[in-house]
Amino acid sequence: QKEVEQDPGPLSVPEGAIVSLNCTYSNSAFQYFMWYRQYSRKGPELLMYTYSSGNKEDGRFTAQVDKSSKYISLFIRDSQPSDSATYLCAMMDSSYKLIFGSGTRLLVRP
Amino acid sequence: GAGVSQSPSNKVTEKGKDVELRCDPISGHTALYWYRQSLGQGLEFLIYFQGNSAPDKSGLPSDRFSAERTGGSVSTLTIQRTQQEDSAVYLCASSDWGESSYEQYFGPGTRLTVT
């Protein structure tokens, strides 16, 4: 079993929809939880991070962490075609190494 | 300011040859990381450097892989006697150290194809 599990999709939604992306994990030592966005043939770009449990909002994006359930989510409101990309969750413990999910491919249809 | 840069962007090599991949981190970042992204394995940690400390090599898949960081800045990842399973995108990232280590900035990657 992988340390971080993420549904690979693809997830196809109409423009304006609310998108929910999720990851589960097994290592209770993870303290930092990140979401990266990766466009085709580009490097990952950090979208949001959360330390420990809780919610964090940035514009149309909301990240949630539930450490008791070992479950993290990213919500995208009013999704746009430009949001079409692969979204990677990543986690870090005190080792400073990022452990990534396999990524979910998102397609927002105009 | 300038981001993380990597060269070459693409590399095609024959099985058994050695390759060198280069990474220029963001100026001032003391930590530098190498990851590998392949279809079957996703994005995997390979190695990181932090200042003058010994590098954490725990993710290197075999002794054919090595990396060095000269002068605390530029890093080179070397793969000796390349195999077809080494085909992947090799990504470099850099960050500040300590509590900001989660904020890793990635380069565009080097796409390696071993024929």
Side-chain angles (χ1 to χ4, degrees):
Chain A
Q1 184 187 5
K2 289 185 175 181
E3 277 192 285
V4 181
E5 299 279 357
Q6 184 175 9
D7 188 331
L11 180 61
S12 180
V13 301
E15 183 174 355
I18 296 175
V19 175
S20 172
L21 304 166
N22 311 292
C23 288
T24 58
Y25 64 94
S26 56
N27 186 350
S28 57
F30 288 139
Q31 298 179 41
Y32 288 91
F33 304 89
M34 280 69 68
W35 286 96
Y36 281 82
R37 177 174 62 195
Q38 186 174 27
Y39 292 113
S40 181
R41 295 191 171 257
K42 301 285 187 184
E45 168 196 2
L46 179 63
L47 273 179
M48 298 187 71
Y49 86 95
T50 308
Y51 175 72
S52 193
S53 283
N55 294 358
K56 190 169 188 177
E57 188 173 319
D58 184 1
R60 297 185 295 112
F61 298 88
T62 299
Q64 289 185 351
V65 173
D66 182 349
K67 290 189 74 176
S68 62
S69 302
K70 297 189 176 66
Y71 188 88
I72 73 169
S73 301
L74 178 71
F75 298 95
I76 308 174
R77 291 183 298 282
D78 186 25
S79 55
Q80 302 296 308
S82 57
D83 295 329
S84 297
T86 296
Y87 289 79
L88 299 149
C89 63
M91 307 183 188
M92 190 176 79
D93 57 18
S94 57
S95 69
Y96 303 111
K97 294 173 280 195
L98 293 181
I99 308 298
F100 284 86
S102 55
T104 299
R105 196 153 59 92
L106 172 67
L107 175 63
V108 181
R109 308 185 306 271
Chain B
V4 177
S5 60
Q6 293 186 246
S7 61
S9 53
N10 286 282
K11 177 72 176 179
V12 180
T13 190
E14 291 180 355
K15 178 181 172 182
K17 301 276 190 180
D18 297 353
V19 295
E20 285 189 352
L21 312 179
R22 178 189 166 103
C23 172
D24 274 280
I26 292 173
S27 177
H29 278 179
T30 57
L32 185 149
Y33 312 79
W34 284 97
Y35 294 87
R36 177 170 72 174
Q37 188 170 32
S38 55
L39 279 177
Q41 299 297 322
L43 226 160
E44 313 168 271
F45 165 81
L46 296 176
I47 185 172
Y48 81 68
F49 299 87
Q50 158 51 18
N52 296 322
S53 302
D56 181 332
K57 305 178 183 179
S58 59
L60 294 178
S62 78
D63 58 8
R64 296 186 296 104
F65 288 72
S66 63
E68 62 177 22
R69 188 178 185 193
T70 54
S73 181
V74 170
S75 177
T76 303
L77 177 69
T78 301
I79 309 174
Q80 295 179 311
R81 305 181 303 281
T82 52
Q83 304 294 311
Q84 287 187 330
E85 61 263 28
D86 299 335
S87 296
V89 177
Y90 289 82
L91 291 157
C92 175
S94 70
S95 75
D96 287 326
W97 191 241
E99 290 192 359
S100 298
S101 296
Y102 67 87
E103 199 166 353
Q104 297 182 18
Y105 294 87
F106 282 81
T110 293
R111 184 173 297 271
L112 175 65
T113 304
V114 182
T115 61

